[in-house]
Amino acid sequence: MKKWTGTIRFYNQKKKYGFIKYLYDDKEIFFHISDVYSGDKEIYKGCVVTFLTSEDQNTKRIKATNITIVADGNVETVKKLDKHITRIIEVAESIQPNRLTILTGSNGNGKSFIRKLMNSKMGEKFPDRNAKHLVTEISMQKRTDVNNPLMGSGFGFTFFDNPQYPTSISTYNLIDRLLYSCVDSENKRDRSYIIIDEPEIGMADESQLGIALFLKSRLSEILEDSLGLMIITHSKFVVRELKDKADFFYTDYDMTADEWLERKIIHTDFEDLRIQSMDLMRRLNDWLK
């Protein structure tokens, strides 16, 4: 059932009913306070809500149900979120198999969401394949914790770091071994789409450049023996070394790799980031329902 978005155009607090105007349409729909989510009873004129529609059993007219306030009810915030979600979906739809994709963007702006979409996207591209083995993710999140194995989600490979190695060596070893395992299959039907998530985490500039050059040297082999490669990164070294061989996407808005490398850096307000990330995830859920 489709979830709609609208603003409270009118609400009679005494009689507990009102009308919702659709956010991107001139239509409006009746609602009663009993159909508002229990935690959102304090609705007000102009606030933004999501809702479902159904036929009222008594009047037989269509009414709004399952009404929930979104993004603190601010219209401009919701429209900004919708514009950004449109951008995220546009990026996800543009990613093609059998190519190198570089994905970057501000924290909390949808990179992880795109990453999670890749399994279903590859499933559409390769319907004859077992979806469980379509995507292998190489994540750097726990690479230096000897108690936490780093796992490729597609094949389930597990490798443990040696704590005597510095971060850069651990990263290199893990990426090298996982890539070798991913692309060394004799059965081409076992090939997967490979995602390397932020290989530069915790690295000095010299090591970031080293990882970038290592990936560049293996690129032809990886693309030949896989369903494609995505590198999610914030590293200028990775982008600079691989941009000429890659489809580049910046999740915040449309920008070329060269423009991204030369962009002006604005500091992060972490309280704003926390609110923005929570609002974006909630709004993404609205879009997906």
Side-chain angles (χ1 to χ4, degrees), residues 98-163:
N98 305 312
R99 295 182 60 83
L100 168 63
T101 296
I102 293 178
L103 183 66
T104 188
S106 302
N107 293 126
N109 266 10
K111 296 185 299 300
S112 294
F113 179 75
I114 292 173
R115 185 193 75 210
K116 292 172 183 176
L117 286 178
M118 293 313 297
N119 213 68
S120 61
K121 182 175 175 62
M122 290 300 115
E124 294 172 1
K125 297 287 185 181
F126 303 96
D128 60 326
R129 287 286 309 279
N130 184 338
K132 182 179 179 181
H133 299 294
L134 276 176
V135 177
T136 297
E137 182 178 342
I138 303 173
S139 175
M140 299 298 107
Q141 297 300 321
K142 299 176 180 178
R143 70 186 160 194
T144 56
D145 184 349
V146 72
N147 296 313
N148 287 284
L150 182 69
M151 300 187 69
S153 59
F155 291 91
F157 298 126
T158 305
F159 297 104
F160 291 87
D161 284 331
N162 186 331

Side-chain angles (χ1 to χ4, degrees), residues 176-192:
D176 185 43
R177 291 156 73 184
L178 273 170
L179 283 177
Y180 180 81
S181 299
C182 291
V183 304
D184 194 45
S185 173
E186 294 181 1
N187 184 355
K188 295 297 184 182
R189 287 183 58 81
D190 289 340
R191 294 183 304 170
S192 67

Side-chain angles (χ1 to χ4, degrees), residues 103-107 111 198 200 232-236 239 260:
L103 183 66
T104 188
S106 302
N107 293 126
K111 296 185 299 300
E198 299 186 24
E200 74 278 0
I232 302 173
T233 184
H234 297 285
S235 171
K236 287 189 173 183
V239 173
W260 182 83

Side-chain angles (χ1 to χ4, degrees), residues 2-7 20-25 27 47-52 68 70 78-79 82 283 286-287:
K2 181 176 176 58
K3 180 176 281 192
W4 300 91
T5 303
T7 58
I20 300 171
K21 180 183 178 300
Y22 286 74
L23 188 60
Y24 298 107
D25 201 321
K27 297 188 301 182
C47 76
V48 183
V49 295
T50 58
F51 59 94
L52 303 177
T68 305
V70 293
V78 172
K79 287 186 175 181
D82 286 354
R283 192 63 180 146
D286 290 339
W287 276 57

Side-chain angles (χ1 to χ4, degrees), residues 162-179:
N162 186 331
Q164 68 179 319
Y165 290 145
T167 298
S168 58
I169 297 298
S170 295
T171 298
Y172 168 80
N173 285 343
L174 288 165
I175 291 178
D176 185 43
R177 291 156 73 184
L178 273 170
L179 283 177

Side-chain angles (χ1 to χ4, degrees), residues 11-136:
Y11 177 54
N12 186 317
Q13 191 165 10
K14 184 177 180 180
K15 296 185 176 180
K16 307 299 183 185
Y17 77 90
F19 291 90
I20 300 171
K21 180 183 178 300
Y22 286 74
L23 188 60
Y24 298 107
D25 201 321
D26 289 332
K27 297 188 301 182
E28 61 180 42
I29 188 170
F30 173 87
F31 78 93
H32 189 271
I33 193 66
S34 61
D35 289 308
V36 176
Y37 174 66
S38 59
D40 288 339
K41 294 298 185 184
E42 297 300 322
I43 61 172
Y44 54 90
K45 182 179 178 180
C47 76
V48 183
V49 295
T50 58
F51 59 94
L52 303 177
T53 61
S54 67
E55 183 179 83
D56 187 290
Q57 296 300 313
N58 296 319
T59 65
K60 302 302 180 182
R61 66 179 176 179
I62 301 299
K63 67 173 184 175
T65 62
N66 299 81
I67 303 165
T68 305
I69 295 175
V70 293
D72 293 328
N74 185 286
V75 175
E76 293 308 314
T77 298
V78 172
K79 287 186 175 181
K80 183 178 179 181
L81 289 171
D82 286 354
K83 182 178 180 180
H84 184 59
I85 292 171
T86 300
R87 169 64 182 166
I88 293 172
I89 294 174
E90 177 185 89
V91 169
E93 290 299 318
S94 299
I95 295 171
Q96 298 299 318
N98 305 312
R99 295 182 60 83
L100 168 63
T101 296
I102 293 178
L103 183 66
T104 188
S106 302
N107 293 126
N109 266 10
K111 296 185 299 300
S112 294
F113 179 75
I114 292 173
R115 185 193 75 210
K116 292 172 183 176
L117 286 178
M118 293 313 297
N119 213 68
S120 61
K121 182 175 175 62
M122 290 300 115
E124 294 172 1
K125 297 287 185 181
F126 303 96
D128 60 326
R129 287 286 309 279
N130 184 338
K132 182 179 179 181
H133 299 294
L134 276 176
V135 177
T136 297

